[in-house]
Amino acid sequence: MDRSWRTICAVLLASIATSSFTLAAPASAQETFKLGIVTFLSGPAADSFGVPARNGAQFVIDQLNKGAAPSPYEKVGFGGLKIEPVIIDENGGATKQVQELRNLYQRDSVDVVLGYISSGDCLAVAPIAEELKKMLVLMDCGTPRIFEEAKYNYVFRTAAHATMDNVGLVRYMKAKNVKMETLSAINQDYAWGQDSRADFVAAAQQLYPNVKVQTDLLPKFGAGQYGTEISALVGAGSDVVYSSLWGGDLQAFVLQSAPRGLPKRSQLVFSAADHVLPPLGDKMPDGTIIGARGAYGLMSQKSPLNDWLFKGYEAANGVYPVQAAYRIAQSILGLKAAAEKAMSKNGGRKPSTDEMVAAMTGLEWPSPGGLIQMKLADGHQAIQPIAISRTKYNPDLKRVDLVDIQYFAAECVNPPPGVKSIDWIKGGMQGAKCN
Amino acid sequence: MRKSLHPVVMIALVAAVTLAGRALPTWTLSLATIAASNALIALGIVVLARTGNVSFGQGLFFAAGGYGVALIANAWGLTDAVAQVIVGALCGGLLGLVVGPLIARYSGIFFGMLTLALSMVFYGALVKSTALGGSDGFNVGRPSLFGMSFTDPREADYMLYAISVIVTGFAGIAATILFRSEFGLASLAVRENNLRVEYLGLSANRIISINFLIAAIFAGASGAFALMAQRHIDPQFAYWTTSGEFVFVAVLAGNQSVAAVFVASMALELVRSFSNLYLPNTWQLVLGVFLLGVILFLPRGIGSLWIRDRRKRRISTTAHLTVERGAAP
């Protein structure tokens, strides 16, 4: 521990510092479209959302770069420009995300950043992209607050926000004559759980005016043990038990509640449960009503585009795609549609940020999960159709099938422009177009 | 402590680093702002550690500063960067005044756990408060300076960089002067043997409380910087991993040199950012290996690279720091 060590360490530190600066210099021989992708690669949301999203992105980008995607996306890359992805981890909190977003734009000079699963991260990064005047595409996060509390020019969200999930569930229950005189709820005690609960209860009170809320539980995020909560829910014996749990928490809740008879006593209703079907298998009680935050996975509608994603993803990853893979696929395809629209106007040059933003605003494009329309927030927030269904275990295929699927048009479950989601629900969901 | 730089030289150094920001690439400016802000709070931990206590809950004051500034900015439109730093420091300081004397009676692991517990209580309360955006937090507008608002991103980043470097630099100079003062030496004595300090007629509790207050003020100001740099605040500010990261910086730096805190903080941010870019799946591993490497090869922190005298009353420091490291997450 003397001078020689010290010198070695000093040299090492200095070389790290210098090499990081030189590595940072962009060196591109051929013109490409550099796409920053931010998704959870570690942490609790990685298995459920982050990694499927990354796998989905890799599949879609590979196919686009090969020109192997079906119509109308058969052009190579984005209008002939190869896509060069830079993938980074969303784990580590909003402070780190803001920093890494700046690094992506300013140091790695990516053209567009696409990603973000956590609502907190979305809220934090949106104003930064706006300030830097760089294009940002949010692909998954649920909170309606992003465009309801602020106005952005450079920020887009290519998926519907969480209001749709809960309005869709209640509409499904009403359409299928599910009895709901009493309701209990279990949601995680953080923004997603609190907001989902508020939306579901508000929508339920509209379509079931006599519903009585009985047990309303908010265990903490990542609790994992739900013994007490299940006792309370079994004790209440409500007609319906609603939950927006996801990932490991949802799996734990299902595994612990089934032996205690909760699914037999109450109708279980889960707002975002498709991603736990492959790991749970026959442990998932039959007849559970679930949503997937869109017409995704086993609930997706047949189309050449959907077959391409479903089969290609399954062949590449050994498991069928769930919501996050669909959501990232639809945002990449949307960017491609915008880039090609911009290039058709500027004579085929690589589009600038402003040209991309102009092309993306109000855009509509087909995706594996249905038509995506940038209709809200002056053309910056998407609406999309949703599917809701019931589970049924299929012993032959050894997987949970989804039956009794019902689709709801985008304008049936999403608020119209200019209305805050919660006000729209509480005001009786005026202007919804269902058929 | 030892023969070292004159304060005037240190002021010149701060000025030089501030001006050097003009030549730095844009992306390093905000990185350096965060690094300076983390250095400021880690400096507070080093100040407190001289009394033999490590706070694992500096996130409490960090969040108090951040939320205080954010709420005042949104309610009354206070956007001035300097005013925000003062407000942040005041919020942290006020809370430190309340918490410090209560907690100064404990020491060692009890002190550490109590600070951790308090910060987690605050975290829990913030997550429950839907009016403050719950776990998603909320946004604030961008800061201005003396009535000037900056629309060019680079100028805005440079303004924040300059303020954070100057404030943190002066805090560092103040800390160096404090370390050499009678009070600073008495703090060291509290760590060695607080009974003897009491027999000398000094109150060990008071010394710990004052050091705690200084650490809280630094943490509050640091929270204001973090808020200004990212324009968004959420309860994560008070979470224990955030507090742990500040202890991490303090451990990396060691307590031999104030400048080491800045170097350590910047090195940590660079390693994190580049490992995240090149090794997105294993960046935490890289961070861990980096910390392990520093502990194994520089057990007294990055500061020992340029601080050489270790004969004078250093043996006890080493012994103590090893204890701290053992407890750090």
Side-chain angles (χ1 to χ4, degrees), chain A residues 1 3 6 20 42 54 87 89 94-95 99 102-103 106-107 119-120 123-124 131 145 189-191 194, chain B residues 27 30-31 127-128 135-137 139 142 157 230-231 234 273-274 280-281 283-284 297 304-305 308:
Chain A
M1 205 42 246
R3 218 144 292 171
R6 239 185 241 162
S20 49
S42 59
R54 186 209 46 207
I87 301 182
D89 189 0
T95 310
Q99 195 51 50
R102 287 170 173 280
N103 290 342
Q106 296 178 334
R107 179 185 69 201
S119 293
L123 280 170
E131 268 179 45
R145 286 174 54 201
D189 194 7
Y190 80 115
Q194 294 156 355
Chain B
W27 64 271
S30 63
L31 195 117
V127 167
K128 293 243 179 231
S135 61
D136 281 349
N139 292 336
R142 58 165 81 180
D157 287 355
Q230 69 180 78
R231 257 83 94 203
D234 59 38
S273 176
F274 280 99
N281 292 302
W283 60 276
Q284 290 103 329
F297 300 121
S304 60
L305 281 173
R308 276 155 195 262

Side-chain angles (χ1 to χ4, degrees), chain A residues 282-299:
Chain A
D282 60 354
K283 307 286 187 306
M284 188 74 183
D286 280 352
T288 305
I289 297 176
I290 69 160
R293 309 202 61 208
Y296 296 148
L298 294 176
M299 284 189 256

Side-chain angles (χ1 to χ4, degrees), chain A residues 299-316:
Chain A
M299 284 189 256
S300 52
Q301 275 170 309
K302 203 169 163 49
S303 71
L305 209 49
N306 185 34
D307 286 349
W308 162 72
L309 178 70
F310 195 99
K311 291 187 181 133
Y313 182 98
E314 198 173 23

Side-chain angles (χ1 to χ4, degrees), chain A residues 1-3 5-10 13 16-17 19-21 23-24 41-43 51 54 86-100 102-104 106-108 118-128 130-133 143 145 149-150 152 189-192 194-195 218, chain B residues 24-28 30-32 34 62 124 127-130 132-142 151 153-154 156-157 160 226 228-232 234 236-237 263 266-267 269-274 276-278 280-281 283-284 290 296-300 302 304-308 310:
Chain A
M1 205 42 246
D2 41 18
R3 218 144 292 171
W5 265 126
R6 239 185 241 162
T7 337
I8 292 173
C9 291
L13 271 180
I16 287 174
S19 65
S20 49
F21 280 92
L23 279 169
L41 300 175
S42 59
V51 171
R54 186 209 46 207
V86 180
I87 301 182
I88 66 167
D89 189 0
E90 192 183 334
N91 199 14
T95 310
K96 172 169 167 280
Q97 293 325 312
V98 166
Q99 195 51 50
E100 294 307 327
R102 287 170 173 280
N103 290 342
L104 280 173
Q106 296 178 334
R107 179 185 69 201
D108 311 322
S118 145
S119 293
D121 291 341
C122 283
L123 280 170
V125 294
I128 302 295
E130 186 75 10
E131 268 179 45
L132 298 176
K133 299 193 169 55
T143 181
R145 286 174 54 201
E149 289 181 357
Y152 297 109
D189 194 7
Y190 80 115
W192 162 261
Q194 294 156 355
D195 294 351
L218 287 166
Chain B
L24 285 174
T26 311
W27 64 271
T28 42
S30 63
L31 195 117
I34 293 289
F62 186 63
V127 167
K128 293 243 179 231
S129 54
T130 32
L132 299 181
S135 61
D136 281 349
F138 60 95
N139 292 336
V140 277
R142 58 165 81 180
T151 43
R154 187 177 160 88
D157 287 355
L160 275 183
M228 286 192 283
Q230 69 180 78
R231 257 83 94 203
H232 174 83
D234 59 38
Q236 196 73 27
F237 271 52
V263 175
M266 191 70 194
E269 287 299 316
L270 281 174
V271 169
R272 188 206 334 250
S273 176
F274 280 99
N276 198 30
L277 176 66
Y278 294 113
N281 292 302
W283 60 276
Q284 290 103 329
F290 178 64
L296 284 177
F297 300 121
L298 297 168
R300 276 170 298 116
I302 289 178
S304 60
L305 281 173
W306 60 87
I307 303 280
R308 276 155 195 262
R310 53 210 159 100

